[in-house]
């Protein structure tokens, strides 16, 4: 991080990002909010209300003046965000560039797609329990919308698959198998089916796994791929 901290003053009244459910009282909190929610940011944050918060409530009029043309000439959201982060100086150049790229990539995505990207990021950061909760919320929201819509079915399948990956990382193989199976039910993808058998193989005894495979002769080839993956090379 850069050395410059505590820019401006601590506001009496919070600025609320309604779409995020987050309130901030100072420029450092604003910077942190923009960075952590970069996946979900939309052009609606470029508003006179935010400019007023920056210029009047936090008493940083120079930044307000710099941002004013971007708001009123419908400038780039990614540049708007990076300008704030750079001015406040709470994060280094590498972090700011990453946020700018994230905001740019998120433009044009639906709200559900943005939330999925944010949740996938939790998985990448190994915040597994937060990721499970977020995937569950998205799955619930998308459940009804996904019916009879092939594109939405694929989206929901990806949510289930990624949730399965989270459970597998937590060694919760029963829950992982259930998620992979749900993913396969929504999108007949062999990778989801292979992951299902992998999770079941890790969960079940040898006898139980053989019994499972016997019930699904149509999946014999994939189930055997899983066995070969798990058995150490020296034992083949």
């Amino acid at each position: 991080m850069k050395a410059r901290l505590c820019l401006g003053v601590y506001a009496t009244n919070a600025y609320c990002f309604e779409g995020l459910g987050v309130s901030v009282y100072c420029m450092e909190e604003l910077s942190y909010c923009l960075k952590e929610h970069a996946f979900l940011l939309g052009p609606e944050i470029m508003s006179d209300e935010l400019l007023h918060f920056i210029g009047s409530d936090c008493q940083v009029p120079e930044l307000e003046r710099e941002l004013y043309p971007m708001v009123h000439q419908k400038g780039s959201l990614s540049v708007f965000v990076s300008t704030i982060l750079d001015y406040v100086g709470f994060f280094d150049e590498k972090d700011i560039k990453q946020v700018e790229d994230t905001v740019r990539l998120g433009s044009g995505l639906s709200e559900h797609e943005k939330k999925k990207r944010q949740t996938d990021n939790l998985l990448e950061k190994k915040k597994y329990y937060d990721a499970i909760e977020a995937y569950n919320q998205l799955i619930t929201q998308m459940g009804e919308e996904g019916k009879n819509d092939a594109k939405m079915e694929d989206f929901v399948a990806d949510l289930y698959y990624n949730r399965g990956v989270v459970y597998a990382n937590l060694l919760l193989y029963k829950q992982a198998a259930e998620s992979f199976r749900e993913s396969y039910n929504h999108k007949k993808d062999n990778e989801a089916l292979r992951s299902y058998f992998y999770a079941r193989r890790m969960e079940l005894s040898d006898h139980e796994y053989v019994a499972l495979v016997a019930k699904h002769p149509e999946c014999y080839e994939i189930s055997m791929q899983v066995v070969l993956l798990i058995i150490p090379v020296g034992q083949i």
Side-chain angles (χ1 to χ4, degrees):
M1 290 183 182
K2 297 180 182 178
R4 186 205 291 182
L5 299 175
C6 303
L7 178 69
V9 302
Y10 199 84
T12 302
N13 299 311
Y15 180 82
C16 180
F17 289 92
E18 294 184 1
L20 304 176
V22 176
S23 296
V24 298
Y25 284 87
C26 63
M27 295 304 299
E28 289 72 34
E29 289 181 1
L30 173 61
S31 293
Y32 184 80
C33 174
L34 294 176
K35 178 179 181 294
E36 291 301 301
H37 297 87
F39 287 97
L40 300 178
L41 300 179
E44 68 279 355
I45 73 165
M46 299 172 64
S47 65
D48 284 321
E49 289 76 18
L50 181 55
L51 293 182
H52 183 272
F53 172 76
I54 293 170
S56 298
D57 294 340
C58 293
Q59 296 182 21
V60 189
E62 298 86 357
L63 179 56
E64 179 187 17
R65 286 194 290 270
E66 187 173 349
L67 296 171
Y68 185 91
M70 302 182 199
V71 172
H72 290 271
Q73 297 173 16
K74 300 186 184 304
S76 165
L77 175 61
S78 60
V79 174
F80 179 83
V81 172
S82 63
T83 299
I84 295 175
L85 298 183
D86 185 63
Y87 193 94
V88 175
F90 197 63
F91 299 106
D92 59 29
E93 290 184 13
K94 181 180 178 181
D95 288 331
I96 294 173
K97 181 63 166 60
Q98 184 177 27
V99 171
E100 186 175 1
D101 290 343
T102 299
V103 174
R104 187 182 297 111
L105 288 171
S107 61
L109 296 178
S110 69
E111 288 304 309
H112 291 310
E113 289 170 326
K114 287 182 180 180
K115 289 181 180 178
K116 180 181 178 297
R117 281 179 177 245
Q118 185 182 44
T119 306
D120 292 344
N121 191 51
L122 292 174
L123 169 57
E124 292 173 6
K125 292 181 177 179
K126 299 184 179 181
K127 296 182 178 180
Y128 296 134
Y129 291 102
D130 290 338
I132 288 172
E133 183 178 353
Y135 281 127
N136 287 341
Q137 290 176 355
L138 270 173
I139 287 169
T140 299
Q141 292 171 9
M142 301 299 294
E144 290 300 320
E145 297 180 38
K147 291 182 178 179
N148 302 318
D149 184 327
K151 183 178 179 180
M152 204 68 75
E153 285 281 321
D154 288 352
F155 185 82
V156 174
D158 290 342
L159 294 176
Y160 275 114
Y161 186 88
N162 288 0
R163 190 182 72 176
V165 172
V166 178
Y167 280 128
N169 275 283
L170 291 170
L171 308 184
L172 299 173
Y173 293 115
K174 180 178 180 180
Q175 293 92 325
E178 292 171 352
S179 291
F180 291 136
R181 184 69 185 185
E182 284 292 339
S183 177
Y184 183 75
N185 289 340
H186 283 80
K187 181 172 63 174
K188 305 303 181 185
D189 180 72
N190 282 343
E191 185 59 34
L193 189 60
R194 186 179 297 107
S195 296
Y196 165 77
F197 278 103
Y198 175 85
R200 295 307 305 271
R201 183 67 187 93
M202 298 299 292
E203 174 200 359
L204 302 174
S205 67
D206 292 346
H207 176 75
E208 290 170 329
Y209 186 73
V210 170
L212 172 68
V213 173
K215 291 180 181 179
H216 299 281
E218 74 281 4
C219 302
Y220 178 79
E221 183 177 344
I222 286 180
S223 65
M224 287 307 297
Q225 291 174 12
V226 170
V227 172
L228 292 174
L229 282 172
I230 293 176
I231 296 176
V233 174
Q235 297 182 22
I236 296 178

